[in-house]
Amino acid sequence: MAGDDFKMSFAIECENLTKVFKGEPKIVALDGISLKVPEGSVFGLFGPNGAGKSTLISILMGLTLPSQGSARVLGHDVVYESFKIRSKVGLLPEGFGLYDGMTAFENLKYFGLLDGIPPGDIDQKIMNTLERVGLKDRANHRVSTFSRGMKQRLGIAQALLKDPKLLILDEPTVGIDPDGVMDFRRIIQDVVREGKTVFLSTHLLRDLGMVCTHTAIIRRGKIIVQGSMEELASKMKSVKGYTYQVHLKAGDVGKLLQDLKTLPQVVETRVEEEGRVIFIMSKEDIANEIFSLVSKGQYSVEALTSSKPDWEELYKFYSEEADVK
């Protein structure tokens, strides 16, 4: 119901979700996953190949039944209401199929009609969507002439075509060149501005980490950490320390270094970029203390910045933390 959807705060909710494939030996693809994807977020599920990402997506779309636990997508149960889920979700599965003998336009029309888009609306929707992914000029070209990256863009167009409330994208940038990756990030940002939610899974941290607002890291079927980017970065800093850079326009660098060393939380200082940038590492968040110190001194400061860990650092930190546990 529309009223129920409006009240939801999470687009995806999983509770103790488990999937075991029987055999000798049995394979535990998902091991008690609990996950919450906020509405309006770009949620990245990161992990190596074989971690359980595609299995989770199959369960969310009602294509595979869980062995244990529960999950809801847009308020609908994945076991009993999968048809309703598929009507509201745009899916780009890993290794999706296209008809090479048909044009880009014909492919989208075929899939769009199967998705229930009214015939009177579909042609214009197709052209608008092809323009969105940079394929409008190839609308009438056969897919057999497309590069792997172009086929991936067409798959994204198919997922967008029915104007879904939620996009689920499995390895969406595989095979796309750097320009295509930048275009993909732009598309995702546009989609979120429209009030939609994006759930993407990938092992390509560098391609997609910067566009995510929330994330979870999955390894061997288990979620080892999840939360907003700020939460994950803050926790990492609390363990490994905080880093800052003071960009100095004018003033005595040596005196500033001595002043900084009076702060008991400071672990390390060093001068970079020909004496114009001072690097500071501390045990605690001391941004306010640094700001107060440089404001009181005879220093002309261009900027005071706090370094943010990149995706590779975050992934390495939480993976190593999970191994220790």
Side-chain angles (χ1 to χ4, degrees):
M1 298 295 289
D4 292 335
D5 290 348
F6 180 78
K7 293 176 184 178
M8 286 191 313
S9 57
F10 297 103
I12 298 172
E13 296 179 272
C14 304
E15 184 68 32
N16 193 34
L17 200 62
T18 301
K19 180 63 181 179
V20 178
F21 291 100
K22 296 179 180 179
E24 291 297 337
K26 67 180 181 181
I27 298 173
V28 182
L30 296 178
D31 190 0
I33 282 181
S34 294
L35 188 71
K36 290 188 176 182
V37 177
E39 285 188 333
S41 67
V42 181
F43 194 103
L45 180 67
F46 293 90
N49 291 330
K53 302 187 301 295
S54 295
T55 299
L56 175 59
I57 287 174
S58 292
I59 290 174
L60 294 178
M61 294 300 296
L63 304 175
T64 301
L65 293 175
S67 304
Q68 185 178 321
S70 63
R72 300 182 72 82
V73 176
L74 299 174
H76 302 298
D77 187 276
V78 297
V79 175
Y80 302 105
E81 300 176 289
S82 60
F83 179 78
K84 290 181 179 179
I85 291 171
R86 288 194 287 271
S87 71
K88 297 178 181 180
V89 175
L91 172 66
L92 175 64
E94 185 180 14
F96 67 96
L98 294 165
Y99 292 98
D100 284 350
M102 295 164 62
T103 66
F105 184 94
E106 290 168 342
N107 266 277
L108 291 188
K109 190 160 188 174
Y110 174 75
F111 289 115
L113 291 173
L114 286 178
D115 275 333
I117 298 175
D121 299 336
I122 196 167
D123 288 6
Q124 189 59 53
K125 279 182 174 288
I126 290 171
M127 295 310 296
N128 290 343
T129 307
L130 285 172
E131 183 174 18
R132 197 171 191 179
V133 299
L135 290 176
K136 186 176 181 180
D137 61 337
R138 302 298 297 266
N140 296 314
H141 291 228
R142 293 186 186 278
V143 171
S144 59
T145 67
F146 284 16
S147 67
R148 184 177 179 183
M150 291 170 64
K151 289 180 179 179
Q152 196 76 0
R153 291 193 195 197
L154 187 57
I156 294 169
Q158 183 271 322
L160 286 168
L161 187 61
K162 61 183 174 184
D163 192 26
K165 297 181 66 175
L166 168 66
L167 271 178
I168 296 181
L169 311 174
D170 195 2
E171 300 289 0
T173 57
V174 170
I176 298 183
D177 60 28
D179 287 343
V181 171
M182 288 190 289
D183 287 341
F184 175 79
R185 295 188 194 124
R186 174 188 53 78
I187 292 167
I188 294 304
Q189 289 164 347
D190 289 345
V191 166
V192 173
R193 277 193 288 268
E194 295 170 3
K196 304 180 191 302
T197 305
V198 178
F199 179 86
L200 53 89
S201 77
T202 185
H203 66 282
L204 302 173
L205 305 179
R206 187 167 296 177
D207 279 1
L208 298 176
M210 66 180 65
V211 80
C212 295
T213 60
H214 296 72
T215 189
I217 297 175
I218 184 170
R219 295 182 68 200
R220 295 188 290 273
K222 293 184 177 182
I223 300 292
I224 61 174
V225 69
Q226 64 179 297
S228 70
M229 296 305 304
E230 291 78 11
E231 290 169 342
L232 267 63
S234 178
K235 181 181 176 183
M236 177 177 167
K237 287 180 179 180
S238 70
V239 174
K240 300 198 71 172
Y242 294 74
T243 56
Y244 305 91
Q245 288 181 335
V246 178
H247 297 253
L248 200 65
K249 292 175 68 176
D252 187 336
V253 174
K255 185 176 185 308
L256 180 53
L257 282 172
Q258 290 302 316
D259 290 345
L260 288 168
K261 289 177 181 178
T262 66
L263 298 174
Q265 304 94 331
V266 171
V267 175
E268 177 188 348
T269 60
R270 66 173 181 267
V271 179
E272 301 176 341
E273 297 183 24
E274 299 180 353
R276 294 297 90 194
V277 176
I278 297 177
F279 172 90
I280 306 154
M281 177 174 285
S282 71
K283 296 178 287 186
E284 301 173 15
D285 184 357
I286 57 169
N288 291 335
E289 288 86 344
I290 295 173
F291 181 78
S292 177
L293 190 151
V294 298
S295 298
K296 292 175 181 177
Q298 300 299 311
Y299 309 110
S300 178
V301 175
E302 182 177 351
L304 168 60
T305 60
S306 175
S307 300
K308 293 183 179 180
D310 62 28
W311 263 102
E312 284 79 3
E313 290 174 313
L314 282 171
Y315 183 81
K316 182 179 179 181
F317 170 76
Y318 285 106
S319 295
E320 289 176 349
E321 189 177 64
D323 288 339
V324 170
K325 293 177 180 178

